[in-house]
């Protein structure tokens, strides 16, 4: 039996270099806590305007207004719903469009905070709860707010960044929940003008205590999302012999897909295949024309995932042929595992440990959830941590994506300080 989290002994973070320690200093948390009320206000505003996928007009406008007030130049991507700000050496040439060349930017680190919500009706009971049928049930409002806090602190140190010939790229990303945002932003030029040498991201956890940092690699699984449409021939249920029943075919497809896992995947491999949607028909006595199955395949072995995607297509085609129901397969998502860079991870642990000396660190971040930051980490060396943000009342520790999920505002200054420390520490180590 795996040990309980409470039974595990937290570890100390590796020591940051002397240069990084000096750059980070010992006052970032106090500095962030001095404007904790403003951080909370930003978070509550964002929490009350949850938007979905790659369409975040209100959220993006709010972030843009905050950056404008801070005099931070920015560009927008993904039809305006992705905001990318610059602080430091590259910012002076970026006013007006948020773009500069690699030469102008010098050393570049990108900090990422996602900001899309979920189609969940909120039941948290918070006085700032959303009322539009959507909810920040995964804490992305926390991420965006912490990154705004880091933007404010980094802007205050812009002269130092210019002196170091370094730039911090601030990514406020849409579409993480749908695995669309990072891909769309990259396609729009996210990793150019300037290109970051490294990237860093964090994710809050609604059930972990403040000060707990989890890390690991591969941290999260890859995901392949699919939609299978089986075309039958509808008719009255009293005469199935003159119809072609796609529901029968769908049942056999579902069973055959489960057998891929039980008979073609080694027992030691971590793979999960789930069909979460099975839709066909509207009346008990009518055979429908179509049946639709939607599901996900998750795993950490890229080669095995590729093999299983091929086998899914083969199995669906074979079953569909047997039951005379032509099949189409659509890809809904395709994201690799979140594989992180060891050097960047160890360095970032040192930076976060320097600014949060009382934090507890555990190398346990390894889960079957997925994250489109993997598309960034597959392009540039990256680190990614999950950080505790549970509220004080243990009875309110609902899991993320739950309609009653809550997060503590007390994490916001810690998150802002951690983002800032990683940027300052990395730049100090790469002058």
């Amino acid at each position: 039996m795996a040990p309980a989290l409470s039974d595990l002994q937290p570890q100390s973070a590796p020591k940051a270099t002397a240069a990084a320690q000096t750059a980070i200093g010992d006052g970032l948390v106090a500095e962030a806590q001095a404007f904790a009320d403003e951080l909370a206000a930003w978070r509550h505003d964002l929490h009350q305007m949850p938007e979905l996928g790659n369409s975040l007009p209100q959220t993006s406008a709010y972030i843009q207004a905050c950056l404008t007030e801070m005099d931070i130049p920015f560009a927008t991507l993904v039809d305006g719903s992705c905001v990318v700000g610059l602080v430091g050496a590259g910012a002076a040439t970026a006013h007006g469009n948020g773009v500069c060349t690699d030469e102008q930017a010098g050393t570049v680190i990108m900090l990422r905070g996602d900001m899309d919500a979920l189609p969940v009706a909120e039941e948290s009971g918070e006085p700032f709860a959303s009322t539009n049928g959507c909810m920040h049930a995964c804490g992305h409002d926390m991420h965006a707010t912490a990154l705004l806090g880091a933007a404010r602190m980094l802007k205050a140190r812009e002269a130092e960044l210019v002196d170091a010939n370094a730039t911090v790229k601030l990514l406020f990303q849409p579409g993480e929940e749908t695995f669309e945002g990072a891909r769309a932003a990259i396609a729009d030029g996210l990793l150019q003008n300037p290109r970051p040498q490294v990237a860093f991201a964090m994710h809050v956890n609604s059930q972990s205590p403040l000060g707990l940092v989890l890390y690991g690699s591969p941290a999260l699984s890859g995901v392949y999302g699919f939609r299978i449409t089986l075309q039958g021939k509808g008719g009255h249920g009293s005469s199935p012999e003159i119809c072609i029943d796609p529901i029968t075919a769908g049942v056999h497809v579902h069973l055959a897909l489960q057998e891929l896992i039980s008979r073609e995947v080694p027992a030691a491999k971590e793979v999960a295949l789930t069909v979460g949607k099975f839709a066909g028909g509207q009346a008990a006595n009518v055979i429908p024309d179509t049946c639709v199955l939607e599901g996900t395949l998750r795993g950490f072995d890229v080669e095995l995932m590729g093999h299983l995607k091929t086998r899914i297509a083969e199995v669906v085609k074979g079953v569909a042929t047997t039951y005379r129901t032509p099949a189409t397969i659509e890809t809904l998502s395709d994201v690799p595992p979140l594989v992180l860079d060891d050097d960047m991870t160890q360095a970032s642990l040192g930076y976060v440990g320097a600014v949060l000396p009382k934090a507890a660190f555990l190398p346990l971040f390894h889960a079957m959830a997925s994250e489109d930051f993997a598309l960034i980490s597959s392009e540039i060396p990256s680190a990614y941590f999950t950080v505790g943000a549970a509220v004080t009342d243990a009875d309110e520790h609902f899991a993320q994506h739950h309609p009653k999920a809550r997060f503590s505002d007390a994490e916001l200054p810690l998150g802002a300080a951690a983002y800032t420390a990683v940027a300052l520490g990395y730049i100090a180590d790469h002058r």
Side-chain angles (χ1 to χ4, degrees), residues 118-155:
L118 289 158
V120 173
E122 183 159 0
E123 300 175 12
S124 69
E126 297 282 21
F128 51 88
S130 64
T131 58
N132 68 353
C134 300
M135 178 187 176
H136 274 294
C138 202
H140 294 186
D141 55 328
M142 302 283 290
H143 305 162
T145 300
L147 189 53
L148 280 176
R152 175 169 168 167
M153 290 193 286
L154 289 165
K155 182 66 178 180

Side-chain angles (χ1 to χ4, degrees), residues 77-306:
L77 308 174
V78 195
D79 295 324
S81 287
C82 180
V83 184
V84 184
L86 294 177
V87 181
T93 59
H95 270 282
N97 61 8
V99 172
C100 70
T101 67
D102 293 350
E103 292 75 17
Q104 293 166 329
T107 301
V108 183
I109 177 172
M110 184 165 71
L111 306 178
R112 180 267 211 164
D114 43 6
M115 54 184 189
D116 58 319
L118 289 158
V120 173
E122 183 159 0
E123 300 175 12
S124 69
E126 297 282 21
F128 51 88
S130 64
T131 58
N132 68 353
C134 300
M135 178 187 176
H136 274 294
C138 202
H140 294 186
D141 55 328
M142 302 283 290
H143 305 162
T145 300
L147 189 53
L148 280 176
R152 175 169 168 167
M153 290 193 286
L154 289 165
K155 182 66 178 180
R157 292 162 174 78
E158 190 159 49
E160 300 169 26
L161 299 178
V162 171
D163 183 62
N165 189 31
T167 302
V168 182
K169 197 166 190 175
L170 308 165
L171 168 59
F172 296 88
Q173 184 203 301
E176 188 282 323
E177 296 291 356
T178 57
F179 306 122
E180 300 171 323
R183 191 185 306 278
I186 291 170
D188 277 0
L190 171 66
L191 301 182
Q192 286 83 47
N193 301 315
R195 181 175 180 83
Q197 281 92 57
V198 294
F200 175 77
M202 297 185 294
H203 201 300
V204 293
N205 188 312
S206 61
Q207 296 180 299
S208 294
L210 292 175
L212 178 63
V213 178
L214 302 183
Y215 66 97
S217 184
L220 297 170
S221 70
V223 60
Y224 166 61
F226 55 87
R227 177 188 293 123
I228 301 165
T229 302
L230 300 162
Q231 182 65 50
K233 179 182 177 183
H236 200 282
S238 64
S239 305
E241 72 281 2
I242 63 173
C243 304
I244 300 175
D245 189 348
I247 293 179
T248 296
V251 169
H252 285 275
V253 164
H254 180 269
L255 293 173
L257 293 181
Q258 299 308 311
E259 289 169 359
L260 285 178
I261 304 303
S262 65
R263 287 297 173 263
E264 297 191 22
V265 175
K269 292 291 185 180
E270 298 170 288
V271 178
L273 193 157
T274 298
V275 174
K277 180 178 179 180
F278 192 115
Q282 294 182 327
N285 64 340
V286 178
I287 293 172
D289 284 323
T290 60
C291 179
V292 177
L293 293 79
E294 293 184 8
T296 60
L297 171 71
R298 298 175 189 268
F300 295 94
D301 186 319
V302 174
E303 184 177 348
L304 178 58
M305 289 280 284

